[in-house]
Amino acid sequence: MTKNLRGETVHKVLILDFGSQYTQLIARRIRELGVYSEIHPFNYPLEKIKAFAPDGIVLSGGPASVLDEKSPKCDIGIFKIGVPILGICYGMQLMAQLLGGRVEKGEKREYGPAEILILKESPLFADFPSNTPVKVWMSHGDRVETVPPGFYVLAQSPNSPISVMANEEKRLYGLQFHPEVVHTPDGKKILANFLFRICRLEPDWNIGSFIEQTIPKIKEQVGKGNVVCALSGGVDSSVVAVLLNKAIGKRLHAIFVNNGLLRAGEVEEVKEVFTQKIPLNFHYVDAEKRFLGILKGVTDPEEKRKRIGRLFIEVFEEEARRIGDVEFLAQGTLYPDVIESVSFKGPSATIKSHHNVGGLPERMHLKLIEPLRELFKDEVRALAKELGLPEFIIKRQPFPGPGLAIRILGEVTKERLSILRAADKIVNEEMKRFGLYDKVWQSFAVLLPLKTVGVMGDERTYEHVIALRIVDSTDGMTADWVRVPYELLARISNRIINEVKGVNRVVYDISSKPPSTIEWE
């Protein structure tokens, strides 16, 4: 545990990631319960774990089998630190194997809803009714056949005789199911029991405590120097700018770069907000020609991202030299950006490079400040509200750093940008008109690299196709397409085809994440 500025205890939970698609959900659920949590790779060194000084440890699930020779394993020394440990699915199987139990291939893979029966009283299941089956979500092939010495079976299911195991003397617990997913209705209650009854923690982490811990860190990191901040006008970079403004005042230089890849009216809106409504040390840079120049002839999405990322940094470094005495670049990097851009030696595969993580040049002349890199999107929105940002910024939908460049499949040109901007504006207008803009995660248009035959009046047309993407999500790690009213789809389609010159067809994307990503590139 650590102390905040008022000298109060702030508890921490460490999550070791073995590659589960649900690992981020574990962190979210724990934070929702008011306890700070961080995810680190399964092979996080023991000395770093001790330095982190966790009040509890969670071993995540994962796609591997502990029976495989090369399966990911944590340092067995974590079980001697003396803090409570909760193993989930693969984490339970690894705990059993490392501590002398036996894991075998199950008779059949168990995936989906199941019911467990609690066999003994335990603080892990405090306030659960006795002799009542508990609905859970299973996802495993292996299962624990024999518990390690000192453990006993706490619950079972028809397919998993050892669904929950415990060594309550050492405060070690294993769950064969996933308490972090919504398909385990009482999963959050089980996690709460682990945190508050077993780890004996208090819910002492919230956005207010994040602010009071972050501002002194920024002051200490920056010293007496200046900082340039990559300001886009979205909620992430706006929060970073306001935090830095609180910490260092005029030594913050908020730089807004017009890269020519922004949405309709965005340049004017951002200028007004940060010079009139939220006054900052604001710098405007028109770099449209430069960005379009480096994108000429480029069709590969990763190459687009990397070129945009490199040029962003070049522009910021140029501005920093002009300002003088600047050592730092502040960015609105979030936790999902970090997770998706970094691979932990296999389990967490790199999905794509984010411009403010994977797109950085190998040698950069500015040091990074990323105060939001441990936060999820909804936490940033709560932080924005706490900092007093306007509602329209707080509710603004996420917009990718590379902008419209990754919503144009194929080469990015001024003409294609004009088509996409007009279509995207219509999407936003109609989503707001139907009262759905604030109720979904993202809604936007994508310009496809193909043309189709159509008929307008009595004439044959051969024009562009727009794909409509509307998804719902909590933090961007997973997402599902939204079943919007047909009336809305018809309205958007009709307006785009009638009002946007060069488009004669609109299609609706009904794929979820995973397996698809939210953005097309």
Side-chain angles (χ1 to χ4, degrees):
M1 63 183 68
T2 57
K3 302 283 184 180
N4 64 17
L5 289 179
R6 296 192 296 268
E8 300 166 334
T9 298
V10 177
H11 298 99
K12 299 183 292 184
V13 171
L14 171 67
I15 301 165
L16 293 182
D17 178 22
F18 292 89
S20 170
Q21 61 180 316
Y22 304 132
T23 301
Q24 293 78 34
L25 281 178
I26 302 171
R28 287 188 46 73
R29 298 292 176 257
I30 292 174
R31 292 188 190 187
E32 287 168 3
L33 290 163
V35 177
Y36 182 70
S37 62
E38 279 189 21
I39 300 171
H40 288 279
F42 67 90
N43 53 1
Y44 202 50
L46 185 61
E47 289 309 310
K48 287 190 176 182
I49 293 175
K50 290 178 179 178
F52 183 78
D55 298 286
I57 297 174
V58 177
L59 310 180
S60 85
S65 167
V66 297
L67 301 174
D68 294 340
E69 187 179 340
K70 295 183 179 179
S71 61
K73 291 179 173 60
C74 59
D75 193 313
I76 195 172
I78 66 167
F79 298 103
K80 297 179 181 177
I81 294 176
V83 300
I85 298 178
L86 177 67
I88 296 175
C89 198
Y90 180 91
M92 168 180 167
Q93 295 159 11
L94 181 63
M95 179 188 292
Q97 185 189 66
L98 292 177
L99 297 180
R102 184 166 59 91
V103 179
E104 300 288 349
K105 288 286 183 188
E107 294 178 7
K108 62 178 181 178
R109 177 173 172 78
E110 189 173 20
Y111 180 84
E115 290 186 343
I116 63 168
L117 187 64
I118 300 170
L119 304 177
K120 295 186 179 184
E121 289 187 4
S122 167
L124 192 65
F125 290 104
D127 299 327
F128 277 72
S130 58
N131 300 319
T132 303
V134 177
K135 293 181 179 179
V136 300
W137 183 266
M138 296 280 190
S139 178
H140 65 99
D142 300 343
R143 70 184 191 185
V144 177
E145 294 290 344
T146 306
V147 298
F151 283 73
Y152 62 84
V153 181
L154 187 53
Q156 64 181 20
S157 74
N159 191 52
S160 297
I162 305 175
S163 294
V164 183
M165 66 179 192
N167 180 331
E168 300 210 307
E169 181 183 348
K170 294 184 177 179
R171 295 188 294 171
L172 305 177
Y173 296 82
L175 305 175
Q176 186 59 79
F177 58 90
H178 288 272
E180 68 273 26
V181 302
V182 294
H183 308 294
T184 300
D186 291 314
K188 200 168 179 180
K189 187 175 174 182
I190 294 169
L191 290 173
N193 284 337
F194 175 71
L195 297 174
F196 305 132
R197 295 177 182 270
I198 295 168
C199 298
R200 304 185 186 100
L201 308 183
E202 294 291 335
D204 52 24
W205 187 84
N206 55 46
I207 290 301
S209 64
F210 175 85
I211 294 172
E212 69 175 19
Q213 290 174 52
T214 300
I215 289 177
K217 285 181 183 177
I218 293 172
K219 288 181 178 179
E220 182 180 356
Q221 186 178 0
V222 173
K224 296 182 179 180
N226 290 304
V227 179
V228 290
C229 174
L231 179 63
S232 70
V235 66
D236 305 334
S237 64
S238 298
V239 166
V240 169
V242 173
L243 274 175
L244 283 157
N245 191 52
K246 283 182 174 292
I248 61 173
K250 290 293 183 181
R251 288 185 289 123
L252 161 70
H253 299 266
I255 300 174
F256 173 57
V257 178
N258 177 8
N259 58 10
L261 307 172
L262 301 174
R263 290 167 289 194
E266 202 158 18
V267 171
E268 295 74 21
E269 182 183 66
V270 172
K271 278 184 175 181
E272 181 187 357
V273 169
F274 291 103
T275 57
Q276 304 297 322
K277 297 180 180 178
I278 311 174
L280 297 174
N281 193 358
F282 183 81
H283 301 251
Y284 171 71
V285 180
D286 187 348
E288 180 178 5
K289 288 183 180 178
R290 291 177 67 180
F291 277 90
L292 293 184
I294 58 137
L295 291 172
K296 187 175 182 180
V298 179
T299 59
D300 179 73
E302 273 295 281
E303 184 62 24
K304 286 182 189 177
R305 287 176 175 272
K306 292 185 185 300
R307 289 193 181 202
I308 292 167
R310 283 193 292 266
L311 184 51
F312 259 119
I313 300 304
E314 285 179 24
V315 171
F316 290 131
E317 288 186 330
E318 289 167 8
E319 285 299 299
R321 285 193 293 271
R322 188 181 61 78
I323 294 164
D325 191 28
V326 175
E327 291 183 61
F328 299 93
L329 166 64
Q331 292 188 146
T333 307
L334 303 190
Y335 213 1
D337 297 339
V338 176
I339 294 164
E340 286 195 345
S341 298
V342 179
S343 174
F344 291 153
K345 198 179 175 182
S348 299
T350 299
I351 298 171
K352 60 189 175 184
S353 297
H354 287 257
H355 86 280
N356 51 349
V357 181
L360 296 177
E362 290 182 13
R363 185 181 178 188
M364 194 179 71
H365 303 295
L366 295 174
K367 300 171 188 174
L368 278 179
I369 294 179
E370 298 173 311
L372 309 183
R373 67 180 287 121
E374 305 295 345
L375 298 185
F376 292 99
K377 191 75 174 189
D378 59 320
E379 293 175 317
V380 175
R381 293 192 195 282
L383 180 56
K385 192 171 185 179
E386 187 82 11
L387 290 169
L389 269 70
E391 196 74 8
F392 72 90
I393 287 183
I394 295 172
K395 291 184 176 180
R396 193 176 183 188
Q397 292 181 359
F399 187 61
L404 298 179
I406 58 169
R407 293 180 180 173
I408 293 177
L409 276 62
E411 184 181 7
V412 178
T413 65
K414 203 157 189 175
E415 178 192 359
R416 301 188 83 202
L417 280 164
S418 178
I419 291 171
L420 182 57
R421 271 198 197 95
D424 193 67
K425 184 180 179 184
I426 290 170
V427 174
N428 285 325
E429 287 174 352
E430 291 304 321
M431 289 294 291
K432 289 174 182 176
R433 181 171 175 266
F434 275 72
L436 292 176
Y437 180 85
D438 297 341
K439 293 181 173 60
V440 303
W441 179 258
Q442 275 175 287
S443 51
F444 57 89
V446 180
L447 181 60
L448 303 187
L450 54 91
K451 292 185 175 182
T452 65
V453 173
V455 177
M456 288 190 177
D458 294 325
E459 295 184 2
R460 175 186 183 276
T461 62
Y462 189 60
E463 295 179 330
H464 296 283
V465 179
I466 288 287
L468 176 63
R469 183 76 158 140
I470 306 174
V471 297
D472 202 14
S473 178
T474 303
D475 50 37
M477 297 306 300
T478 60
D480 195 14
W481 63 281
V482 180
R483 282 70 170 168
V484 293
Y486 290 156
E487 181 187 354
L488 172 59
L489 292 177
R491 173 88 180 170
I492 291 173
S493 176
N494 288 339
R495 281 197 62 192
I496 289 175
I497 292 171
N498 287 322
E499 298 176 27
V500 181
K501 188 176 180 181
V503 177
N504 69 357
R505 192 179 299 269
V506 175
V507 298
Y508 189 42
D509 181 351
I510 59 170
S511 47
S512 298
K513 175 185 179 181
S516 303
T517 54
I518 294 176
E519 299 290 345
W520 277 47
E521 290 192 342

